[in-house]
Amino acid sequence: MTLLDVANIHTAYDISEVLFGVSVRVEDGECVGLLGRNGVGKSTTMRSINGLTPPHSGTVKWKGKEVQGRPTYDIARLGIGFVPEDRRVFPELTVWENLDIARRSRGKADEWDEAKVYALFPELETFKERKGGYLSGGQQQMLTIARSLMGNPDILLLDEPSEGLAPLVVDKLKDQIASLKAAGLSIVLAEQNLNFVLDLSDRVYVLEKGEVKFEGRPDEIRADPDLIKRYLTV
Ligand SMILES: Nc1ncnc2c1ncn2[C@@H]1O[C@H](COP(=O)(O)OP(=O)(O)O)[C@@H](O)[C@H]1O
Ligand SMILES: [Mg+2]
């Protein structure tokens, strides 16, 4: 089943056009990568989906229904979780409190709670009484993802989760995202980190200047050094 179907969206910040007809599709249970250099429109694609920067034309269909233009809280309630690139944890609240206030049931059979979050991110249990502001960058990223999970989304939009993290932390995070996928969660992963995306994704879209230049499987990208050179290396 197609969960998310973004078709030919055009998105602008005021009069500055940023997306020029982007189309992205996510099947139920898929991890879909958005790759491209800084400034190509990965974050804007996510913001167009979750309503923070709605497209001025084109459609965003969620489970077959058009949702473009709906307010962000509405879209979140429909099961679209968003983890922004700036890791928004509440610095004055403890890890546990950060999780507790994000809790929202969506009436699913197997919902997230602290115990499940801690099983996935053991470090968060170790530091559950610590304030968010005193966590490491990697722990804050894990807490931001965990906060989204507490809202029981059907899909998670992850914006640059590996950015600024040490290689060992990135490896750990990759395993954690892989286990979310194995548990059936659908994921959209925007990244500049090529291997992170290629290792996790079923399909990948390569963006440049607000357009999709390539859509295919990770092995097709790995086998195409010209494509990598043209769109993906700095
Ligand atoms: N709030 C904003 N106001 C104006 N322009 C923006 C804003 N956010 C992003 N842009 C511009 O939109 C383009 C795409 O940005 P973005 O979607 O953040 O790219 P990416 O996530 O791929 O780095 C860039 O040219 C960027 O400068
Ligand atoms: Mg971005």
Side-chain angles (χ1 to χ4, degrees):
M1 182 189 73
T2 302
L3 205 55
L4 180 67
D5 189 7
V6 176
N8 198 26
I9 56 167
H10 293 246
T11 304
Y13 294 98
D14 297 317
I15 57 163
S16 162
E17 294 281 336
V18 172
L19 299 185
F20 303 92
V22 168
S23 298
V24 170
R25 173 176 52 83
V26 183
E27 302 293 325
D28 198 7
E30 258 190 328
C31 178
V32 166
L34 302 180
L35 272 172
R37 296 187 183 102
N38 198 23
V40 297
K42 303 180 297 295
S43 297
T44 306
T45 300
M46 290 190 164
R47 295 170 60 89
S48 300
I49 294 167
N50 68 27
L52 284 169
T53 311
H56 61 79
S57 69
T59 55
V60 176
K61 280 191 189 152
W62 173 245
K63 299 179 180 175
K65 286 200 182 116
E66 291 189 16
V67 298
Q68 72 277 2
R70 290 226 215 165
T72 301
Y73 61 82
D74 231 16
I75 289 178
R77 227 177 265 156
L78 293 172
I80 301 179
F82 176 52
V83 180
E85 56 191 325
D86 57 359
R87 292 176 202 157
R88 243 168 275 158
V89 305
F90 291 104
E92 292 301 321
L93 298 186
T94 65
V95 166
W96 185 85
E97 289 165 338
N98 264 280
L99 293 172
D100 193 45
I101 58 165
R103 184 192 313 270
R104 188 171 57 216
S105 172
R106 295 190 52 249
K108 300 213 276 192
D110 200 17
E111 300 211 304
W112 285 89
D113 57 19
E114 282 86 351
K116 281 189 195 158
V117 161
Y118 294 152
L120 180 63
F121 301 114
E123 278 175 72
L124 295 185
E125 179 161 34
T126 308
F127 297 115
K128 64 185 172 193
E129 302 296 344
R130 186 169 288 190
K131 287 185 174 175
Y134 291 97
L135 298 175
S136 71
Q139 290 158 356
Q140 287 191 0
Q141 183 59 267
M142 289 166 196
L143 181 55
T144 317
I145 294 172
R147 282 174 43 80
S148 263
L149 294 173
M150 291 296 282
N152 292 294
D154 300 325
I155 197 170
L156 208 51
L157 311 178
L158 287 171
D159 199 356
E160 306 259 7
S162 83
E163 195 190 7
L165 303 181
L168 282 175
V169 181
V170 171
D171 285 345
K172 202 190 299 176
L173 186 65
K174 191 160 80 180
D175 291 343
Q176 289 156 339
I177 294 172
S179 48
L180 285 174
K181 187 187 171 234
L185 190 67
S186 306
I187 296 168
V188 180
L189 188 59
E191 270 286 347
Q192 294 188 58
N193 182 333
L194 183 63
N195 283 316
F196 193 84
V197 169
L198 297 185
D199 288 351
L200 284 169
S201 301
D202 300 299
R203 282 184 308 111
V204 174
Y205 295 84
V206 175
L207 280 81
E208 186 173 74
K209 292 183 184 155
E211 291 184 70
V212 174
K213 299 291 186 183
F214 174 87
E215 176 198 343
R217 292 187 316 274
D219 57 304
E220 296 176 89
I221 296 179
R222 283 202 172 94
D224 192 343
D226 287 342
L227 177 86
I228 292 175
K229 202 169 150 197
R230 198 166 342 133
Y231 299 124
L232 300 172
T233 47
V234 280

